[in-house]
Amino acid sequence: MDMGIVNAGMLEVYEEIEPELKVLVEDVLLNRRPDATERLVDYGEKLKAESIGGEVVNEKKAEEWRNGTVEERLSHALVKGIDTYIEIDAEEARVKLGRPLLVIEGPLMDGMSVVGDMFGTGKMFLPQVVKSARVMKKAVAHLTPFMEAEKAAMEAAGQVVKAQGKIVLATVKGDVHDIGKNIVGVVLACNNYEVIDMGVMVSCEKILARAKEEKADMIGLSGLITPSLDEMVHVAKEMERQGFKLPLLIGGATTSRRHTAVKIAPHYSEPVVHVLDASRAVGVTTSLLSEDGKEEFVAKHRTDYEALRKAHAAPPQQVVSLETARARRTPIEWRAEDLPVPAFTGVRALNNFPLATLREFIDWTPIFHAWGLKGVYPRIFEHETQGEQARQIFKDANALLDIMIEKKLTTARAVYGFFPANAVGDDVELYTDNTRTTVLERFHFLRQQANREGSEPCRSLVDFIAPKETGLPDYMGGFAVTSGIGLKELCDQYRAENDDYNAIMAEAIGDRLAEAFAECLHKRVRDEWGYGCAEGLSNADFIEEKYQGIRPAAGYPACPDHTEKGTLWSLLDVQAHTGMLITESFAMWPGSSVSGLYFAHPQSRYFSLGKIDRDQVADYADRKGMSIAEVERWLGQNLNYDPEG
């Protein structure tokens, strides 16, 4: 044979192919004997005959692993993530070995070592590791009462279980997102770390007090929104002030290696390490706690971060003045026919919105990313190495979503509205009614200042609303949606059952439903605004945003100032209509929530603000009634200068 065509998604782990079948197939492929083909055909016929009444035969085959020793069964259950018999096997092992501690230190940790090795070498994916952790937790839960009964005697004899290390994890004050942190905690626990997870919105004082109380070996901080970066800096400063000698780990979607090196690490004399994702966590923690490898790891780490700081100290970007940027605003010829009139003005709320409807708008790609798989739905199903696991995640997610819909385990709510609006300078005024005489609220926007070779416009979202001086009546919309009402209780229930896999999956599904709700509502809004009825777009087109209009959100590239959410909350009375809250850092609660503004003009588009200079910061502070220092704190990632320099 010169060539073969295979379905990569159906490939098995070579070492796990049944030995007899592997020999027969190799005989054919390698032409090792003249009767190879006949032998393989005979084997196939044999399997066919055995499959008569197939389900019984297959079940018997699937359960063959139950014939092994209890140690082999525990290892198999951990590696395969099978929790059906784990309490029975854990009890048998306890009786056999005499003490629960020996079960944990012996077959259970041996099995988790196999899991850790396979994950580290790419032979297992993150969802499989979390399923293994679920099995481990259920086994430990069964053994815990026996452990507690022995505790006094064990302590007296000095036979306390020594963990690999103890780490305190927390999402910082003002932030509510914790999927990534939860996954890191599970992975570390799988590798014999004792994990103290403090949850979300945890103040610096509580984090450091708990670390002292627990005699932790290190602290891990997580955050999604940009204000969390400042809180992490504060924690680092406090650790230095209080004389901590522990490594500090930094992670979360808004964090980066560069920011950690430039903004956080200089404030703390002990190692401050950015952890990109869960797959890197064990390597970093092991190196930091290793008696032999720590010194070399820390030295290389400090050298790398110093190089990042030097690169950051390069000259700032070339920017134009705010006056010049305003002169180069997005060129739009304002015409009445480009300014659609919505079906109503004011606010409307949606309660108990059908999750089954939202399901049709789900963009599944990010759910694979949440589990550490890289690829785009549905092409990821055909990926050579990740395809099989991606299909399993998709199957599990939809099975859980079926339950969430059927049992109404979570609730989706929304509030949205349309308002008469016009641009005044770089602000947009919203009016109480169509007389446009009384200002209801005012949104403040920022403008690009990067020079961009002098050829591109310096865009601002305000450019897409008709200026007041044109005399043309325009409109702007706003929205807030959540699919997270009841989600925390559902996740807590799964964790109480030692089921981290479904707890994390439920959080991931909640996030997908929130984004789907935002997409679904935007379709309704375009229809009610009069320009979306004839779109004729598919769900895939919605996901790719092949429609007129945009829905930018505060805290994202075009409008990075999170404080504008406060204006939106007031405008729509979000809390009263939906129960959604905003924290002191303007993170939304529940975490599975989305909010933003609606722009309808045909030329409206997304863009990234980029770097801005001192003149715009001063102007923005004046427009918002804030101090320059306060504006600099909220827009730190966009400053083209060092406010402390």
Side-chain angles (χ1 to χ4, degrees):
M1 183 171 69
D2 298 306
M3 180 181 294
I5 300 176
V6 300
N7 180 350
M10 298 296 290
L11 290 176
E12 294 190 32
V13 178
Y14 195 71
E15 292 81 358
E16 294 182 2
I17 298 174
E18 186 178 359
E20 181 183 1
L21 176 59
K22 182 161 65 174
V23 170
L24 291 170
V25 172
E26 287 178 345
D27 285 347
V28 172
L29 291 175
L30 303 177
N31 196 24
R32 292 196 295 210
R33 50 189 295 164
D35 60 345
T37 301
E38 290 77 11
R39 279 160 47 87
L40 184 58
V41 170
D42 290 343
Y43 183 81
E45 291 297 328
K46 177 184 173 184
L47 290 180
K48 184 177 179 181
E50 290 176 350
S51 67
I52 297 174
E55 287 191 10
V56 175
V57 175
N58 288 336
E59 283 184 19
K60 182 178 179 181
K61 183 75 174 175
E63 297 297 318
E64 281 186 0
W65 66 278
R66 300 295 305 155
N67 297 326
T69 66
V70 67
E71 290 84 358
E72 291 169 342
R73 279 179 270 138
L74 286 172
S75 180
H76 182 90
L78 288 165
V79 172
K80 298 296 184 181
I82 303 170
D83 62 359
T84 310
Y85 309 99
I86 192 61
E87 287 91 353
I88 297 172
D89 289 344
E91 177 60 16
E92 183 180 334
R94 185 189 70 82
V95 173
K96 178 180 178 179
L97 298 178
R99 295 180 57 213
L101 178 61
L102 297 180
V103 180
I104 294 174
E105 290 184 330
L108 289 178
M109 285 314 304
D110 289 344
M112 290 311 295
S113 293
V114 173
V115 171
D117 291 343
M118 293 180 73
F119 180 58
T121 56
K123 293 180 180 178
M124 283 184 77
F125 294 106
L126 188 56
Q128 295 167 304
V129 174
V130 176
K131 286 182 178 179
S132 297
R134 174 172 60 185
V135 177
M136 180 71 169
K137 282 192 171 185
K138 289 188 175 182
V140 172
H142 173 78
L143 296 169
T144 296
F146 301 100
M147 292 279 289
E148 290 176 347
E150 285 189 348
K151 187 175 181 181
M154 288 171 60
E155 288 179 348
Q159 297 176 338
V160 180
V161 177
K162 180 68 172 77
Q164 179 81 3
K166 184 184 288 189
I167 180 169
V168 169
L169 296 180
T171 298
V172 297
K173 184 177 71 172
D175 206 324
V176 302
H177 297 86
D178 65 349
I179 291 182
K181 171 179 67 64
N182 292 340
I183 293 175
V184 167
V186 170
V187 171
L188 288 173
C190 286
N191 285 269
N192 198 28
Y193 284 85
E194 184 177 348
V195 178
I196 312 298
D197 190 340
M198 296 185 68
V200 300
M201 297 191 289
V202 189
S203 68
C204 172
E205 294 76 15
K206 289 182 179 179
I207 293 171
L208 301 190
R210 187 67 179 274
K212 289 178 180 178
E213 177 188 340
E214 297 286 348
K215 296 182 172 59
D217 295 302
M218 63 185 72
I219 295 173
L221 304 179
S222 177
L224 175 73
I225 59 175
T226 49
S228 296
L229 299 174
D230 290 328
E231 183 63 20
M232 292 175 180
V233 171
H234 173 61
V235 174
K237 289 179 177 178
E238 277 299 292
M239 290 179 72
E240 182 72 14
R241 187 182 70 82
Q242 296 184 29
F244 274 79
K245 298 298 180 184
L246 311 178
L248 175 62
L249 308 185
I250 302 294
T254 194
T255 65
S256 70
R257 191 162 166 263
R258 179 181 296 274
H259 181 272
T260 302
V262 174
K263 297 294 186 180
I264 304 178
H267 298 289
Y268 185 48
S269 53
E270 296 300 316
V272 181
V273 183
H274 179 255
V275 181
L276 183 62
D277 55 43
S279 66
R280 317 294 176 91
V282 175
V284 170
T285 53
T286 301
S287 297
L288 287 171
L289 296 181
S290 168
E291 293 183 3
D292 298 326
K294 178 180 178 179
E295 186 175 340
E296 180 181 352
F297 175 84
V298 171
K300 183 179 185 304
H301 165 76
R302 293 191 190 281
T303 300
D304 292 345
Y305 275 26
E306 183 59 34
L308 289 172
R309 285 189 284 271
K310 288 181 179 178
H312 178 77
Q317 292 182 13
Q318 183 180 1
V319 295
V320 299
S321 68
L322 178 58
E323 181 182 2
T324 300
R326 285 173 171 163
R328 283 168 49 182
R329 63 186 294 125
T330 309
I332 293 178
E333 180 183 346
W334 292 101
R335 307 181 306 173
E337 54 265 38
D338 291 331
L339 307 179
V341 179
F344 70 93
T345 56
V347 175
R348 289 183 178 177
L350 303 172
N351 193 20
N352 289 314
F353 196 86
L355 298 184
T357 301
L358 301 183
R359 183 180 213 153
E360 302 304 313
F361 288 85
I362 290 179
D363 176 6
W364 287 102
T365 295
I367 210 163
F368 301 111
H369 296 173
W371 286 107
L373 303 183
K374 305 302 180 186
V376 177
Y377 170 83
R379 294 198 304 272
I380 192 173
F381 292 155
E382 304 306 319
H383 191 279
E384 182 177 356
T385 57
Q386 302 182 51
E388 181 179 356
Q389 188 58 53
R391 288 192 296 275
Q392 185 63 51
I393 289 173
F394 188 69
K395 177 182 176 183
D396 292 346
N398 276 279
L400 181 54
L401 182 53
D402 287 339
I403 296 172
M404 292 169 68
I405 292 172
E406 180 185 353
K407 297 185 177 181
K408 299 180 179 179
L409 298 178
T410 61
T411 301
R413 296 176 186 162
V415 60
Y416 70 107
F418 302 104
F419 304 89
N422 281 112
V424 178
D426 280 350
D427 295 339
V428 172
E429 291 182 347
L430 274 59
Y431 306 106
T432 55
D433 54 43
N434 280 314
T435 65
R436 300 173 186 258
T437 55
T438 304
V439 175
L440 176 64
E441 289 286 0
R442 181 179 282 102
F443 284 93
H444 308 279
F445 296 109
L446 292 157
R447 183 172 298 281
Q448 293 174 323
Q449 284 187 271
N451 189 36
R452 302 165 69 85
E453 299 180 356
S455 58
E456 288 286 323
C458 294
R459 303 184 193 280
S460 171
L461 289 174
V462 75
D463 295 349
F464 308 131
I465 299 293
K468 193 171 186 178
E469 59 265 27
T470 64
L472 295 172
D474 206 347
Y475 297 85
M476 192 166 82
F479 72 97
V481 303
T482 183
S483 60
I485 306 299
L487 183 61
K488 181 181 184 300
E489 292 76 9
L490 177 61
C491 295
D492 287 347
Q493 177 186 330
Y494 280 125
R495 290 195 177 93
E497 297 168 356
N498 296 307
D499 190 352
D500 284 306
Y501 181 72
N502 274 317
I504 293 170
M505 185 68 82
E507 286 184 298
I509 291 173
D511 285 352
R512 291 299 87 221
L513 286 172
E515 293 290 348
F517 202 174
E519 200 63 74
C520 175
L521 183 59
H522 196 185
K523 171 56 180 168
R524 173 185 287 215
V525 162
R526 295 195 301 276
D527 291 348
E528 292 178 341
W529 218 328
Y531 65 90
C533 299
E535 286 177 337
L537 300 176
S538 67
N539 285 339
D541 293 332
F542 291 143
I543 291 171
E544 295 178 17
E545 298 175 342
K546 294 181 179 179
Y547 45 71
Q548 177 180 324
I550 58 174
R551 50 177 178 87
Y556 281 77
C559 46
D561 180 9
H562 283 272
T563 67
E564 289 294 292
K565 284 191 203 127
T567 305
L568 180 65
W569 247 245
S570 172
L571 176 70
L572 300 177
D573 201 3
V574 175
Q575 184 173 343
H577 283 114
T578 66
M580 296 168 61
L581 307 173
I582 45 178
T583 70
E584 60 200 288
S585 296
F586 292 92
M588 294 175 287
W589 178 261
S592 296
S593 302
V594 180
S595 65
L597 302 173
Y598 292 128
F599 293 79
H601 193 276
Q603 287 183 245
S604 60
R605 53 169 284 183
Y606 296 105
F607 59 89
S608 179
L609 176 67
K611 297 295 185 180
I612 61 174
D613 219 344
R614 294 180 187 271
D615 56 349
Q616 183 163 195
V617 169
D619 177 85
Y620 190 68
D622 183 60
R623 286 189 280 137
K624 294 226 359 147
M626 298 168 65
S627 69
I628 289 177
E630 194 173 3
V631 170
E632 288 175 337
R633 182 170 74 86
W634 287 106
L635 297 176
Q637 299 299 295
N638 296 94
L639 301 180
N640 198 41
Y641 61 93
D642 183 355
E644 297 178 359

